[in-house]
Amino acid sequence: MRWILLGPPGAGKGTQAALLTKKFNLPHIATGDLLRQAVREQTPLGLEAKSYIDKGELVPDNLVTNLVKDKLSNIDMEKGFILDGFPRNISQAESLDIFLDNNHKPIDAVIYLATEEQTIIQRLSGRRVCQSCEANFHIKNVPPKKEGICDYCGAKLIQRDDDKPQTIKNRIKIYNQKTKDLIEYYNKKNILKQVSGDLESDKVLALLQNFLKTGR
Ligand code: AMP
């Protein structure tokens, strides 16, 4: 199972990736998480990526593509993986295709979580993340047991800087300008599976498991 999760910010890619990787014991490669970790650790990549992330812009392709290739090179691609938040434009998709073709491990399916703008804004503005383990919560939909505290590790929950209203708008704009083109790109390759990202996460997961079983 070599899957890409595609969709606008707030579509539930991270949530589904976490559920699927737990269920199938697969590596979850989330470029947003990897970049935020690099920012926290102040690595050269993190220092370069920070200003792009803060504005809701895409981090330059070569940085992100090398990061993903590096991660993929260190896992057993035969067993599978889930890519979340990558690729984000055609150029990244082409680089990924070349890398995977060279390794004879093509993508099996691209799951497109089609999501209304209203849902995106509601989800992102209420999202809170654990500053330590990156677990996601939502003030209404998935509240933590104790307000402001992570259920899993007890660290403080924060609002991501790029989940604030002005940056949300820019992230949606960038998605519409650049990432949306990938729907057609993968549709042409006959590997696109569309699922509604407006549904609750357990319903989306059930649809994905059914797709895995039946191919439909
Ligand atoms: P995410 O957590 O996937 O919403 O990503 C957060 C931010 O990280 C994005 O708004 C971008 O600034 C950056 N980012 C994540 N993935 C990519 C990517 N594939 N290409 C460029 N920038 C990315």
Side-chain angles (χ1 to χ4, degrees):
M1 175 177 172
R2 289 183 289 273
W3 280 12
I4 290 172
L5 297 185
L6 176 65
K13 301 185 296 294
T15 303
Q16 291 306 318
L19 294 170
L20 290 165
T21 48
K22 196 168 155 208
K23 202 161 192 78
F24 298 104
N25 194 21
L26 290 173
H28 170 194
I29 301 175
T31 42
D33 289 351
L34 294 170
L35 290 167
R36 279 186 293 278
Q37 186 186 355
V39 171
R40 277 198 304 276
E41 292 171 357
Q42 302 193 344
T43 65
L45 168 67
L47 294 175
E48 196 165 348
K50 186 174 184 325
S51 63
Y52 296 95
I53 299 175
D54 286 348
K55 284 185 280 194
E57 305 279 337
L58 293 187
V59 172
D61 290 342
N62 63 326
L63 297 181
V64 189
T65 305
N66 287 338
L67 180 67
V68 172
K69 283 189 201 167
D70 186 52
K71 289 284 160 192
L72 289 173
S73 303
N74 284 299
I75 61 165
D76 179 357
M77 287 195 272
E78 183 61 38
K79 276 198 195 151
F81 53 81
I82 296 197
L83 285 177
D84 157 13
F86 182 91
R88 280 278 226 284
N89 59 26
I90 300 281
S91 156
Q92 293 180 10
E94 288 172 347
S95 303
L96 178 68
D97 279 349
I98 293 171
F99 177 81
L100 294 177
D101 284 351
N102 286 342
N103 285 280
H104 311 290
K105 300 285 181 295
I107 293 292
D108 312 312
V110 176
I111 310 298
Y112 166 44
L113 296 170
T115 312
E116 298 287 340
E117 189 159 324
Q118 221 180 317
T119 311
I120 300 173
I121 293 170
Q122 191 268 354
R123 283 195 189 142
L124 293 185
S125 54
R127 174 159 69 181
R128 297 294 179 270
V129 293
C130 173
Q131 61 178 10
S132 173
C133 74
E134 289 255 353
N136 273 256
F137 297 86
H138 187 279
I139 48 175
K140 283 213 186 91
N141 309 350
V142 196
K145 292 194 187 96
K146 193 169 164 207
E147 198 185 322
I149 302 293
C150 177
D151 288 357
Y152 307 104
C153 73
K156 208 174 137 201
L157 300 181
I158 52 164
Q159 181 172 40
R160 276 169 46 174
D161 280 338
D162 62 347
D163 279 346
K164 293 179 181 158
Q166 195 49 44
T167 319
I168 290 178
K169 274 197 199 140
N170 201 34
R171 289 165 68 203
I172 295 173
K173 192 176 101 197
I174 299 282
Y175 171 78
N176 286 324
Q177 281 174 352
K178 305 193 169 154
T179 312
K180 245 183 155 177
D181 294 347
L182 294 174
I183 300 168
E184 188 51 24
Y185 180 86
Y186 288 118
N187 200 19
K188 276 194 188 141
K189 290 180 184 282
N190 277 322
I191 52 172
L192 193 81
K193 165 72 182 167
Q194 179 167 334
V195 175
S196 168
D198 293 316
L199 298 171
E200 285 160 22
S201 58
D202 53 346
K203 296 209 175 90
V204 175
L205 181 66
L207 289 170
L208 295 182
Q209 284 184 271
N210 187 54
F211 169 64
L212 199 58
K213 233 195 268 168
T214 64
R216 280 185 285 127

PDB file of all heavy atoms in Angstrom, residues 193 207 210-216:
ATOM      1  N   LYS A 193      -8.525   8.340  -6.209  1.00  0.00           N
ATOM      2  CA  LYS A 193      -9.767   7.911  -5.561  1.00  0.00           C
ATOM      3  C   LYS A 193     -10.292   9.094  -4.754  1.00  0.00           C
ATOM      4  O   LYS A 193      -9.615   9.582  -3.845  1.00  0.00           O
ATOM      5  CB  LYS A 193      -9.465   6.716  -4.637  1.00  0.00           C
ATOM      6  CG  LYS A 193     -10.548   6.398  -3.648  1.00  0.00           C
ATOM      7  CD  LYS A 193     -11.763   5.791  -4.300  1.00  0.00           C
ATOM      8  CE  LYS A 193     -12.863   5.535  -3.277  1.00  0.00           C
ATOM      9  NZ  LYS A 193     -14.147   5.235  -3.934  1.00  0.00           N
ATOM     10  N   LEU A 207     -14.661   4.233   4.442  1.00  0.00           N
ATOM     11  CA  LEU A 207     -14.653   4.264   2.967  1.00  0.00           C
ATOM     12  C   LEU A 207     -13.285   3.847   2.428  1.00  0.00           C
ATOM     13  O   LEU A 207     -13.186   3.122   1.434  1.00  0.00           O
ATOM     14  CB  LEU A 207     -14.999   5.667   2.459  1.00  0.00           C
ATOM     15  CG  LEU A 207     -16.463   6.106   2.658  1.00  0.00           C
ATOM     16  CD1 LEU A 207     -16.636   7.584   2.344  1.00  0.00           C
ATOM     17  CD2 LEU A 207     -17.388   5.272   1.768  1.00  0.00           C
ATOM     18  N   ASN A 210     -12.820   0.142   2.751  1.00  0.00           N
ATOM     19  CA  ASN A 210     -13.609  -0.541   1.726  1.00  0.00           C
ATOM     20  C   ASN A 210     -12.895  -0.457   0.366  1.00  0.00           C
ATOM     21  O   ASN A 210     -12.838  -1.445  -0.375  1.00  0.00           O
ATOM     22  CB  ASN A 210     -14.993   0.109   1.651  1.00  0.00           C
ATOM     23  CG  ASN A 210     -15.896  -0.668   0.729  1.00  0.00           C
ATOM     24  OD1 ASN A 210     -16.062  -1.875   0.905  1.00  0.00           O
ATOM     25  ND2 ASN A 210     -16.432  -0.010  -0.280  1.00  0.00           N
ATOM     26  N   PHE A 211     -12.325   0.708   0.092  1.00  0.00           N
ATOM     27  CA  PHE A 211     -11.584   0.882  -1.169  1.00  0.00           C
ATOM     28  C   PHE A 211     -10.397  -0.084  -1.233  1.00  0.00           C
ATOM     29  O   PHE A 211     -10.115  -0.691  -2.270  1.00  0.00           O
ATOM     30  CB  PHE A 211     -11.120   2.344  -1.274  1.00  0.00           C
ATOM     31  CG  PHE A 211     -10.142   2.600  -2.385  1.00  0.00           C
ATOM     32  CD1 PHE A 211     -10.514   2.419  -3.706  1.00  0.00           C
ATOM     33  CD2 PHE A 211      -8.844   3.014  -2.096  1.00  0.00           C
ATOM     34  CE1 PHE A 211      -9.601   2.650  -4.741  1.00  0.00           C
ATOM     35  CE2 PHE A 211      -7.931   3.231  -3.115  1.00  0.00           C
ATOM     36  CZ  PHE A 211      -8.318   3.061  -4.429  1.00  0.00           C
ATOM     37  N   LEU A 212      -9.757  -0.248  -0.102  1.00  0.00           N
ATOM     38  CA  LEU A 212      -8.600  -1.132  -0.029  1.00  0.00           C
ATOM     39  C   LEU A 212      -9.013  -2.585  -0.329  1.00  0.00           C
ATOM     40  O   LEU A 212      -8.307  -3.343  -1.001  1.00  0.00           O
ATOM     41  CB  LEU A 212      -7.994  -1.023   1.368  1.00  0.00           C
ATOM     42  CG  LEU A 212      -6.559  -1.480   1.565  1.00  0.00           C
ATOM     43  CD1 LEU A 212      -5.628  -0.723   0.656  1.00  0.00           C
ATOM     44  CD2 LEU A 212      -6.155  -1.264   3.020  1.00  0.00           C
ATOM     45  N   LYS A 213     -10.194  -2.937   0.195  1.00  0.00           N
ATOM     46  CA  LYS A 213     -10.690  -4.312   0.031  1.00  0.00           C
ATOM     47  C   LYS A 213     -11.211  -4.572  -1.381  1.00  0.00           C
ATOM     48  O   LYS A 213     -10.925  -5.596  -1.978  1.00  0.00           O
ATOM     49  CB  LYS A 213     -11.846  -4.525   1.044  1.00  0.00           C
ATOM     50  CG  LYS A 213     -11.639  -5.754   1.916  1.00  0.00           C
ATOM     51  CD  LYS A 213     -12.914  -6.134   2.627  1.00  0.00           C
ATOM     52  CE  LYS A 213     -13.001  -5.486   4.004  1.00  0.00           C
ATOM     53  NZ  LYS A 213     -14.322  -5.589   4.611  1.00  0.00           N
ATOM     54  N   THR A 214     -11.990  -3.613  -1.895  1.00  0.00           N
ATOM     55  CA  THR A 214     -12.723  -3.881  -3.134  1.00  0.00           C
ATOM     56  C   THR A 214     -12.148  -3.152  -4.353  1.00  0.00           C
ATOM     57  O   THR A 214     -12.531  -3.437  -5.477  1.00  0.00           O
ATOM     58  CB  THR A 214     -14.195  -3.411  -2.993  1.00  0.00           C
ATOM     59  OG1 THR A 214     -14.175  -1.986  -2.830  1.00  0.00           O
ATOM     60  CG2 THR A 214     -14.875  -4.041  -1.804  1.00  0.00           C
ATOM     61  N   GLY A 215     -11.266  -2.157  -4.102  1.00  0.00           N
ATOM     62  CA  GLY A 215     -10.757  -1.351  -5.218  1.00  0.00           C
ATOM     63  C   GLY A 215     -11.774  -0.325  -5.692  1.00  0.00           C
ATOM     64  O   GLY A 215     -11.568   0.353  -6.697  1.00  0.00           O
ATOM     65  N   ARG A 216     -12.897  -0.185  -4.963  1.00  0.00           N
ATOM     66  CA  ARG A 216     -13.917   0.782  -5.374  1.00  0.00           C
ATOM     67  C   ARG A 216     -14.295   1.730  -4.233  1.00  0.00           C
ATOM     68  O   ARG A 216     -14.183   1.379  -3.079  1.00  0.00           O
ATOM     69  CB  ARG A 216     -15.199   0.058  -5.827  1.00  0.00           C
ATOM     70  CG  ARG A 216     -15.026  -0.449  -7.251  1.00  0.00           C
ATOM     71  CD  ARG A 216     -16.294  -1.061  -7.773  1.00  0.00           C
ATOM     72  NE  ARG A 216     -16.486  -2.367  -7.158  1.00  0.00           N
ATOM     73  CZ  ARG A 216     -17.586  -2.752  -6.519  1.00  0.00           C
ATOM     74  NH1 ARG A 216     -18.578  -1.906  -6.372  1.00  0.00           N
ATOM     75  NH2 ARG A 216     -17.696  -3.959  -6.010  1.00  0.00           N
TER      76      ARG A 216
END
